[in-house]
Amino acid sequence: MARRPPIEPKAEKAKSRRLRMSSDATIALTVLAPERIEDAAALTAAAFAGRPNVWRAVCGAATPTDAQQHFLSWLFARNMWLRQESGCNRGVMVDGELVCSFMLVPPEMPDVSFCDMVRAGLLKLPLLFGLGRLKRLLRAKSLEEGELKGMGGFRLERMVVSPSMQGRGIGSPAPRGANQEGEA
């Protein structure tokens, strides 16, 4: 299968896809622009911090929620930065506000290299947040990669919808719209 060329970061408006909300309001699904990465990371971290999930385990269950959120926001921003040129980072905007964020990773997406991790600043993790978090993160990553190996297909990663917009039909159509765009 031929590899899709990366989507330019400036393509946010050009690659905007209109979706219909359950209340007949219109929203825009876009490739996330680089200047929105911090917003998306903060939205994602707020959704995962303090809840029983793998990210809480990575942070350490005894870590206060605000410290978990700070760490996860830092980590997710670097992860999104690593994928920004690929067009994987997606967002749903309502009135200029980011209300949904996710990554849609195609099956042919190469793994992140060690050099990429260095460029993203991930080697600072043990200095900023401790060696224990790094060990737990690497263990979780290894488990995830073992589970996903050979499955094929697009991977939906870290999809979150702002609490104020949940139940309005944003979360369900967003990945379908992005997947249809990827198959086109």
Side-chain angles (χ1 to χ4, degrees), residues 1 6 32 83 104 108 112 124 155:
M1 180 193 311
L32 199 62
R83 297 291 192 202
L104 191 67
E108 68 274 4
V112 174
K124 295 178 186 175
R155 264 188 350 260

Side-chain angles (χ1 to χ4, degrees), residues 7-18 28-33 35-36 93 181:
I7 297 172
E8 296 297 319
K10 294 179 184 174
E12 181 175 356
K13 291 179 184 159
K15 281 290 189 179
S16 181
R17 183 180 184 95
R18 306 305 283 183
L29 168 65
T30 66
V31 172
L32 199 62
E35 60 269 15
R36 292 291 190 166
M93 309 295 287
E181 180 183 299

Side-chain angles (χ1 to χ4, degrees), residues 41-51 59 63-76 129 133:
L43 177 67
T44 306
F48 286 111
R51 289 169 181 78
C59 292
T63 304
T65 301
D66 60 337
Q68 290 180 28
Q69 192 166 339
H70 175 69
F71 167 70
L72 292 174
S73 186
W74 182 88
L75 181 65
F76 294 156
F129 301 103
R133 285 199 187 151

Side-chain angles (χ1 to χ4, degrees), residues 41-58:
L43 177 67
T44 306
F48 286 111
R51 289 169 181 78
N53 56 50
V54 70
W55 296 111
R56 183 173 179 205
V58 167

Side-chain angles (χ1 to χ4, degrees), residues 90-112:
R90 302 302 175 98
V92 175
M93 309 295 287
V94 174
D95 296 331
E97 179 185 351
L98 181 69
V99 298
C100 175
S101 174
F102 62 97
M103 291 176 68
L104 191 67
V105 183
E108 68 274 4
M109 179 64 62
D111 288 335
V112 174

Side-chain angles (χ1 to χ4, degrees), residues 83 130 147 161 173:
R83 297 291 192 202
E147 291 289 321
V161 176

Side-chain angles (χ1 to χ4, degrees), residues 36-181:
R36 292 291 190 166
I37 286 177
E38 293 295 328
D39 295 338
L43 177 67
T44 306
F48 286 111
R51 289 169 181 78
N53 56 50
V54 70
W55 296 111
R56 183 173 179 205
V58 167
C59 292
T63 304
T65 301
D66 60 337
Q68 290 180 28
Q69 192 166 339
H70 175 69
F71 167 70
L72 292 174
S73 186
W74 182 88
L75 181 65
F76 294 156
R78 273 131 194 91
N79 187 253
M80 291 174 188
W81 180 84
L82 285 167
R83 297 291 192 202
Q84 74 180 355
E85 293 180 14
S86 69
C88 293
N89 300 326
R90 302 302 175 98
V92 175
M93 309 295 287
V94 174
D95 296 331
E97 179 185 351
L98 181 69
V99 298
C100 175
S101 174
F102 62 97
M103 291 176 68
L104 191 67
V105 183
E108 68 274 4
M109 179 64 62
D111 288 335
V112 174
S113 71
F114 180 74
C115 290
D116 290 336
M117 287 187 228
V118 170
R119 283 187 14 242
L122 286 170
L123 292 182
K124 295 178 186 175
L125 191 149
L127 299 172
L128 297 171
F129 301 103
L131 193 55
R133 285 199 187 151
L134 175 63
K135 288 179 183 178
R136 291 188 297 268
L137 177 63
L138 293 174
R139 197 169 336 151
K141 184 174 176 7
S142 176
L143 287 171
E144 178 187 42
E145 287 172 351
E147 291 289 321
L148 297 174
K149 191 173 185 171
M151 289 184 78
F154 281 79
R155 264 188 350 260
L156 179 63
E157 295 184 4
R158 290 183 294 281
M159 180 171 183
V160 297
V161 176
S162 172
S164 66
M165 297 302 287
Q166 291 177 2
R168 297 185 184 193
I170 291 174
S172 299
R176 280 194 302 269
N179 194 31
Q180 289 169 353
E181 180 183 299

